[in-house]
Amino acid sequence: MITVRVPAKVNVQLGVGGLRADGFHDLANVFFAVGLFDEVTAEPVGPGEGVTLSCTGPDAASVPLDDSNLAARAARLLAAHHGLADPGVHLHIAKAIPVAGGMAGGSADGAAALVACDALWGLATPIGTLLELAAELGSDVPFALLGGVALGRGRGEILDALPVAGTFHWVFAVADGGLSTPAVFRECDRLREEAGTGSSEADVPTPDADPALLAALASGDPVALAAALTNDLQAAALSLRPSLADTLHAGTEAGAIGALVSGSGPTCAFLAKDAESAEAIAAALRTSGTCRTAHATHGPVPGAEVGAPTA
Ligand code: ATP
């Protein structure tokens, strides 16, 4: 039995280009791995059973346990790549990352399943191959393998690790219910059309990483990072879920030095000046009535890695 722990991500910069002919958007996506973890445990099952799944955690009821689950797809993809006709594995997901929360929880489980099955089956697949398989599963999956902080280009799947000094302290306010990532991108396009700027590749400049943000990460300065946080999907997430403005306000009132919607939302992310402040902001958010719960944590943390189960 192999257990892999895998982190959630927040996008400290999410620059969204125009809609491409293939339906995707070019992104300048600075991923940051934070200490909110799912665990995926892989265990052998009898011949002919294929890939079976179970899931526990507060959001378990929203996790599909069919062939669409990214962990199951990852196991099948790895087995097919190595010509294993009968994968014979049970995957258990201990889920702490909010589902459809803009923190790439499904992608994290896909990455964790790749690492767990690779170890269980003794395949020793090179990391370059695992990254290619991860990119086939989804744009956010390769980053969950790497962790740390990285710049993603293209759909987000072309990754370059970025230098970071020290540790940053974060708070995540978890909303009731999720937001569909494709729906948030569609709303972003709609708002651009409504504003008269256009939403196609020809209308929107190709986004690039913000030098001020990269400098803030490299220097470990939370105030500079807070000032550089940007998310081009934030207006769309707020348009679909206006109550998120109250969540952002509550965290800022409680002392956050930076606040933004995480990815496509609805989780809201707050940067704190230190660990003590992060705990105070999380406590204030929990009683604010503007979110379901809030977690104080830190990052960057490593990507998917084999370890002992914590529960
Ligand atoms: P992203 O930040 O990458 O846009 P997200 O964090 O908003 O994603 P996920 O939690 O990854 O969203 O879930 C999006 C959808 O993916 C879910 O509603 C669910 O139907 C599907 N899904 C597939 N596999 C999983 C999984 N292992 N865990 C959670 N959701 C999954």
Side-chain angles (χ1 to χ4, degrees):
M1 186 197 283
I2 303 281
T3 295
V4 169
R5 192 173 87 141
V6 66
K9 60 83 183 164
V10 59
N11 308 86
V12 287
Q13 180 186 350
L14 183 44
V16 179
L19 182 63
R20 305 192 316 207
D22 65 2
F24 289 101
H25 297 75
D26 268 321
L27 304 177
N29 194 344
V30 182
F31 294 102
F32 188 119
V34 293
L36 194 57
F37 299 99
D38 280 358
E39 284 181 353
V40 175
T41 299
E43 210 177 341
V45 291
E49 287 195 44
V51 179
T52 58
L53 282 172
S54 57
C55 182
T56 50
D59 284 353
S62 324
V63 175
L65 294 180
D66 58 16
D67 287 357
S68 71
N69 191 294
L70 272 159
R73 288 179 49 210
R76 281 203 194 85
L77 186 65
L78 184 71
H81 178 80
H82 288 280
L84 303 177
D86 181 12
V89 65
H90 180 76
L91 298 171
H92 178 73
I93 303 170
K95 194 143 198 66
I97 305 174
V99 175
M103 300 194 78
S107 302
D109 298 344
L114 283 177
V115 173
C117 291
D118 188 61
L120 185 70
W121 299 332
L123 299 170
T125 311
I127 180 69
T129 307
L130 286 180
L131 285 166
E132 281 169 24
L133 295 173
E136 272 185 55
L137 291 167
S139 312
D140 289 352
V141 184
F143 176 71
L145 284 178
L146 283 190
V149 181
L151 172 62
R153 294 170 191 277
R155 290 184 281 120
E157 81 288 10
I158 307 161
L159 286 177
D160 283 308
L162 291 173
V164 188
T167 292
F168 294 88
H169 298 277
W170 290 97
V171 179
F172 293 95
V174 180
D176 267 324
L179 273 176
S180 144
T181 304
V184 176
F185 273 99
R186 279 197 300 277
E187 181 67 0
C188 175
D189 294 336
R190 193 191 70 75
L191 290 175
R192 285 173 170 173
E193 289 296 334
E194 195 176 78
T197 50
S199 62
S200 75
E201 264 185 298
D203 303 317
V204 185
T206 305
D208 213 345
D210 172 10
L213 179 102
L214 301 185
L217 289 166
S219 68
D221 178 351
V223 175
L225 181 60
L229 295 171
T230 52
N231 179 358
D232 285 354
L233 290 180
Q234 179 154 321
L238 283 166
S239 169
L240 295 175
R241 189 75 69 84
S243 63
L244 294 181
D246 299 333
T247 318
L248 293 171
H249 182 70
T252 307
E253 284 285 290
I257 56 175
L260 85 172
V261 169
S262 178
S264 54
T267 306
C268 290
F270 302 91
L271 198 55
K273 65 178 191 312
D274 53 32
E276 199 183 335
S277 172
E279 291 294 348
I281 294 162
L285 280 164
R286 277 182 219 119
T287 55
S288 69
T290 67
C291 57
R292 172 158 53 106
T293 187
H295 306 287
T297 183
H298 63 273
V301 297
E305 55 187 14
V306 175
T310 53

